[in-house]
Amino acid sequence: MCRSGVMAAMMVACMNALAEETHGEGINKETLLKTEKSWEGTRYGHYPAGAPQITMLKVTVEPNRVLAWHTHPCISAVHMTAGSVSLTVAKTGEKRTFRQGDSFTDTVDIVHQGQAGAQGAEMLVFFACSDNRPLTIAEAK
């Protein structure tokens, strides 16, 4: 009996948690990305100290455009809304291509570059930074 009571209490707690997550009828949420590391596998350390500053950008890159080598001092999440982009890490040469519908997190303090595909690239980029830090820093390779 005690075991059944515990199970019932757990089920009610889970159902309450699920009800809170749905926000009622007519609302649907889809997790596009949840991770503790960047696309090339480096684990994130911590957020930068200071007052939080959130930035969301819509970035459009013309077809076949090669971006300069750069770093990001803060964590960023990207959702590809059109086209594709290939990212390459300078130190290792590791390369990965992301296409429309893909979501990924970018590297932090790792020199990399991007190249848009033949159809260009369009993406929503969310930065979690602080104290007016630059979002992108150009690097000489």
Side-chain angles (χ1 to χ4, degrees):
M1 291 271 257
C2 182
R3 187 183 220 178
S4 297
V6 170
M7 291 296 284
M10 288 174 59
M11 288 176 61
V12 168
C14 287
M15 287 173 29
N16 286 341
L18 288 174
E20 290 174 10
E21 276 293 307
T22 62
H23 299 284
E25 292 183 35
I27 305 291
N28 182 42
K29 295 191 304 184
E30 177 184 354
T31 300
L32 298 177
L33 177 68
K34 186 174 184 177
T35 185
E36 300 82 32
K37 56 189 175 182
S38 65
W39 67 267
E40 48 57 87
T42 301
R43 288 197 161 285
Y44 293 125
H46 55 82
Y47 287 107
Q53 185 173 39
I54 304 303
T55 304
M56 181 175 275
L57 304 174
K58 179 179 177 183
V59 178
T60 304
V61 185
E62 56 191 45
N64 302 310
R65 174 77 173 197
V66 177
L67 305 174
W69 292 98
H70 63 279
T71 61
H72 304 288
C74 304
I75 294 172
S76 61
V78 180
H79 180 73
M80 298 294 301
T81 54
S84 65
V85 66
S86 296
L87 301 177
T88 304
V89 174
K91 187 174 183 179
T92 65
E94 182 174 355
K95 183 176 183 177
R96 186 157 169 203
T97 300
F98 299 94
R99 294 174 175 76
Q100 181 177 354
D102 289 343
S103 294
F104 63 96
T105 48
D106 210 345
T107 59
V108 175
D109 295 327
I110 294 176
V111 179
H112 64 287
Q113 97 178 145
Q115 179 173 359
Q119 303 301 313
E122 182 181 280
M123 57 201 98
L124 297 177
V125 185
F126 170 88
F127 286 92
C129 218
S130 66
D131 293 329
N132 290 313
R133 283 181 179 220
L135 303 177
T136 302
I137 300 170
E139 294 287 328
K141 183 169 187 276

